[in-house]
Amino acid sequence: MSDRPLTLMAVHAHPDDEATGTGGVLARYAAEGIRTVLVTCTDGGCGDGPGGVKPGDPGHDPAAVASMRRQELESSCGILKIGHLETLDYADSGMMGWTTNDAPGSFWRTPVEEGAARLAELLRRYEPDVVVTYDENGFYGHPDHIQANRITMAALTMTSLTPKVYWTTAPRSMMQRFGEVMREFGAEQQEPDPAEAAAMAEIGLPDEEITTWVDTAAFGDQKFDALAAHASQGENIFFLRMGRKRFTELMGVETFVRVQGGAGPAATEDDLFAGLR
């Protein structure tokens, strides 16, 4: 038997992504003695600057934003008790269609093979038993999320490792409830663009297609605090408006689709490490 610790590796695109979809599992498994590794692919430079200044507006300095977000990321990792933080430091590509998508050094523009080779080195170093990243559409179509999926799946083929692999998702029932909570907390109401509404309707999966439901309610405070640590992006983090109690009620279960390893696609789980311990 190997004395190597059971290890979870989460591959995310930006600072703050680690907390939104996987903050609960990262905190839970760290508390259970599992080694946790976070790989953050971009520097977050397309986030808001001080005072909420937006990318492309006067006074927005991507390098300064990236430096600030790195400090926030380290604070979040401390809150979630993440054991190892690895940063690839590609330039944040911004939202789909932004000119930053094709800027030199952007993650979106980086050849998949290049990013995958760098991630493969980390896979070999940590030998994770479980790997978590986004689905092929990056959950909602963000180019850096899509690229994180691409390099993760490519990197796995470059190694001889056979971890369980999961993609983050959300049940459609929760997405409907989330919309209700957004309205309750005064999210701006406007006539939705039909194309945007159709795209939103495709986010997540029908409940019956989700393979893995992990109860993380006991770690709701840590997840909330980890999100709050990304204070520079607070304007964009809607979840913080609802307070700890409602946040944990809504976000206290994290859901995934198992795409590699485990007991077959039809088996449901309540533990990413089911069958491994």
Side-chain angles (χ1 to χ4, degrees), residues 14-276:
H14 312 99
D16 77 26
D17 289 334
E18 80 288 341
T20 306
T22 59
V25 292
L26 287 164
R28 170 179 163 166
Y29 290 121
E32 293 178 6
I34 287 171
R35 181 173 62 170
T36 52
V37 181
L38 170 64
V39 181
T40 301
C41 296
T42 81
D43 61 10
C46 284
D48 287 358
V53 62
K54 303 299 181 185
D57 287 350
H60 187 277
D61 180 350
V65 171
S67 176
M68 174 176 59
R69 297 195 71 184
R70 174 59 185 258
Q71 294 177 38
E72 293 174 343
L73 176 61
E74 291 173 354
S75 295
S76 173
C77 287
I79 292 164
L80 297 173
K81 308 300 182 186
I82 293 169
H84 302 270
L85 170 63
E86 300 285 352
T87 56
L88 301 185
D89 286 327
Y90 289 108
D92 188 342
S93 308
M95 300 298 288
M96 191 66 82
W98 288 13
T99 57
T100 46
N101 293 175
D102 295 317
S106 76
F107 190 38
W108 183 241
R109 184 174 174 176
T110 298
V112 170
E113 295 77 11
E114 176 190 319
R118 294 182 63 195
L119 182 57
E121 291 182 11
L122 297 175
L123 288 168
R124 295 186 189 102
R125 181 187 309 170
Y126 290 105
E127 298 183 358
D129 302 277
V130 172
V131 174
V132 175
T133 191
Y134 314 98
D135 63 21
E136 293 167 309
N137 189 47
F139 187 61
Y140 67 97
H142 193 295
D144 287 332
H145 292 214
I146 295 170
Q147 188 78 330
N149 168 277
R150 290 174 176 172
I151 73 160
T152 301
M153 303 312 291
L156 287 164
T157 68
M158 295 177 177
T159 75
S160 59
L161 302 173
T162 56
K164 295 176 76 178
V165 180
Y166 293 88
W167 293 346
T168 57
T169 191
R172 295 269 168 81
S173 60
M174 190 276 279
M175 293 302 295
Q176 179 178 353
R177 187 179 174 205
F178 178 60
E180 295 168 355
V181 172
M182 287 185 70
R183 290 188 290 273
E184 176 186 342
F185 282 87
E188 291 183 10
Q189 296 297 306
Q190 57 186 6
E191 191 66 27
D193 175 83
E196 184 175 319
M200 286 294 292
E202 294 301 313
I203 290 178
L205 289 172
D207 292 29
E208 62 272 14
E209 294 183 19
I210 293 173
T211 63
T212 311
W213 306 67
V214 184
D215 183 353
T216 62
F219 302 91
D221 280 345
Q222 277 177 264
K223 183 171 177 174
F224 186 93
D225 289 342
L227 273 171
H230 296 280
S232 68
Q233 309 307 305
E235 180 182 328
N236 301 320
I237 303 176
F238 168 80
F239 307 105
L240 297 176
R241 302 183 201 173
M242 63 183 72
R244 294 175 184 275
K245 184 174 185 295
R246 293 299 302 276
F247 174 85
T248 300
E249 289 173 357
L250 186 66
M251 306 287 285
V253 175
E254 293 180 351
T255 51
F256 307 86
V257 172
R258 187 178 60 255
V259 296
Q260 179 178 303
T268 58
E269 307 168 313
D270 60 6
D271 179 7
L272 296 178
F273 287 85
L276 298 177

